[in-house]
Each structure stands twice: as C-alpha cells, then as structure tokens.
Amino acid sequence: MATLNEWIAGSRPRTLPVAVAPVAAGTGAAYAIGDGNPAYALLALLVSLLLQIGVNFANDYSDGIRGTDDTRVGPVRLVGQGLAAPSSVKLAAFACFGAAALCGLALVALSGTWWLLIVGVLCVIAAWKYTGGEHPYGYMGLGEVFVFVFFGLVATLGTTYTQAGSIDLSAVAAAVGIGAIACAILVVNNLRDIPGDTESGKRTLAVRIGDAATRKLFTGMFMVAFVAVIVAAIRHPWAIIALIGLAPSARSVQTVNGGAKGRDLIPALVTTGITILVYGVLFGLGLFLSR
C-alpha cells in the first residue's frame, strides 16, 4: 500500500498553481467589471483544485495500466511504480471529480448560472479522456489544445462570469495568458518525456513535431502571455504588473533553449509552475486595482 506521503506526491502538488492562477486572474477581472464575490471565488478555487488533482490521479491510473509510465522520468507514479492498486487510484480520481461536481453545483446554484453545469460536465469528461478511455486525446497530440481551453479559457472566464455575470476583453486576455502558460507546462513536461512516450506509442504534440520545434513552442507560449498583458493594460493599466510574473520564465526558457533533456528539464517545469502562479495572482491584482 502506498503511504500518505506517496499519495500526496502522486497527486502532483507542483501542478496545483495551474488551478490557482485562473481563479485569481478571473476574480480580479470580475472586480474590474464591477462585481467580484470572495465566496464564489473560493468555490471556483475548490472546483479548480479538485479537478486538477482528479486529472492527475486519472492520468496516473490510465498511463499506469497502459505501461506508459514504465520508463518515464518525473514525479511519483502510483500505478506505474506499483505503489497502489489501479482500482484505488481510479477511485481517488473519481472521488475528486465528484467533490468538484458538488462544489460546482453549489457555485452555479448560488450564482444562478445554471447553464454552466453543461460546461462542468464537459470539464470532467475532458479530465478523464486526456489519457483515459479507448481514444485518449493526450495520445493524439491534442493535450495542449484542451489545456488551453479548459485550464485557460474555461477556468478563468468561468470564474469571472459566475461573479460578474459578464466578461470583457481584459478577462479574455487574462484567460489567454493563463492558458498559454498552462500549455507551456505541458509542453516542457512532454519535451522531457519524448523518449519514453515515443517508445510507449504515446503520440504527444512534442513527439509529433520533434525536439527542436517543441522548444520553440515553449518560448512562444510566454510571448503570447506577454501580449495578453499588454492587451489587458490598454483598458486596465494596473494589469501591467502581471509582466513581473513572467520574470521567472527567463530561467525556464534559458534551460529549455539550452538543450536540457530528461531530468535536467525538471527545474524548468518547476519554474514554469511558479511563473503561472505569480502571473495569475498579479494579473488578478492588477485588474482589481484598476476597477
């Protein structure tokens, strides 16, 4: 049986900034529009965190039973390393999805945005289908597309809409910026795993476009995030402070463009996680100050 510490490691806590950043930015955008709500923001944060942990366990289960994790470099894999029974990891994933659904139901009920229930269902399906099911989209090179949509656009704009009842250009800009950096995290993760994924038949975008193009794509994601701040700052000048949040990315870009491989890419993965957290919080703060 896996220990508590192994279960915590298996939940991949280093990925949680991806769940916090869109809620922070989306809440700031709601205040900029004129109607933020801390209670709704907390519920949105719980939904986001639980979905992130759920998808981490789901990926652990699905990759583990397929044998994809047998030669992978990186964090603890509960199934792949034989630390926990696949059924237990699958149960943990769906327990997180269920808890996220309950928090989401409370959020849409309180905010009166019942149509977002459909979006919530799609989020859970997307979380499972990333590596689960007969045709996982993560194995077809579509992971970055779904990360951008669900962890960028849906998470950020959903947070804003449940609080303010509307969205504006700055909210969209924040969502695009958050989505781009979330994609950068997946890009560097898949860059690290190219050898193992190629061997196991997992055709991620990195495997499909190759090492050199993947490194360029990683850098490009931060350029998108930079432009997003400039767009938001046109109407909400304080949003410009989000550029400070991109500072940690300089080391990540240097590491990736320097040709690092395997375990040597892990620091870039960690730094990119820090970047999205600081960027999201500062983006939200800037929009809040510009209200």
Side-chain angles (χ1 to χ4, degrees):
M1 281 185 68
T3 65
L4 176 60
N5 285 338
E6 287 170 338
W7 274 104
I8 293 173
S11 71
R12 306 181 193 180
R14 287 181 176 176
T15 66
L16 296 186
V18 178
V20 176
V23 178
T27 298
Y31 275 104
I33 293 172
D35 197 13
N37 187 309
Y40 294 179
L42 178 59
L43 282 171
L45 179 60
L46 288 173
V47 171
S48 189
L49 287 170
L50 287 165
L51 282 175
Q52 179 64 55
I53 296 171
V55 77
N56 289 341
F57 282 136
N59 292 347
D60 191 303
Y61 166 78
S62 297
D63 283 340
I65 63 173
R66 283 189 168 89
T68 308
D69 283 343
D70 291 349
T71 58
R72 183 165 294 179
V73 176
V76 167
R77 263 74 175 191
L78 295 168
V79 176
Q81 295 175 223
L83 299 173
S87 59
S88 297
V89 178
K90 184 178 182 181
L91 178 62
F94 278 94
C96 290
F97 292 152
L102 289 175
C103 292
L105 180 60
L107 178 58
V108 299
L110 290 170
S111 62
T113 53
W114 289 101
W115 66 272
L116 286 177
L117 284 177
I118 299 173
V119 177
V121 171
L122 292 175
C123 286
V124 173
I125 293 173
W128 176 252
K129 288 289 188 179
Y130 176 59
T131 55
E134 294 183 4
H135 303 288
Y137 61 82
Y139 282 62
M140 297 186 291
L142 298 174
E144 284 78 3
V145 173
F146 281 79
V147 164
F148 179 79
V149 171
F150 288 98
F151 286 98
L153 303 183
V154 172
T156 306
L157 298 179
T159 297
T160 302
Y161 190 81
T162 53
Q163 294 180 51
S166 63
I167 58 175
D168 66 358
L169 178 61
S170 296
V172 174
V176 169
I178 294 294
I181 304 177
C183 284
I185 293 175
L186 183 58
V187 168
V188 70
N189 180 79
N190 289 343
L191 173 65
R192 180 197 64 192
D193 293 337
I194 283 178
D197 287 341
T198 301
E199 182 179 339
S200 65
K202 185 176 182 180
R203 301 282 292 171
T204 63
L205 182 61
V207 171
R208 289 177 178 274
I209 67 176
D211 184 285
T214 300
R215 295 177 192 274
K216 293 178 181 178
L217 177 62
F218 180 76
T219 302
M221 293 298 97
F222 293 107
M223 295 174 65
V224 172
F226 179 91
V227 173
V229 175
I230 302 303
V231 171
I234 293 174
R235 182 172 180 182
H236 301 287
W238 274 103
I240 201 71
I241 64 174
L243 292 181
I244 298 173
L246 290 176
S249 69
R251 177 168 293 185
S252 298
V253 171
Q254 183 179 24
T255 298
V256 170
N257 289 333
K261 296 179 180 292
R263 290 188 180 277
D264 292 337
L265 284 167
I266 293 177
L269 188 59
V270 173
T271 306
T272 306
I274 294 172
T275 299
I276 195 171
L277 178 61
V278 179
Y279 178 88
V281 170
L282 289 180
F283 213 139
L285 178 61
L287 292 174
F288 173 82
L289 293 174
S290 298
R291 68 192 190 282

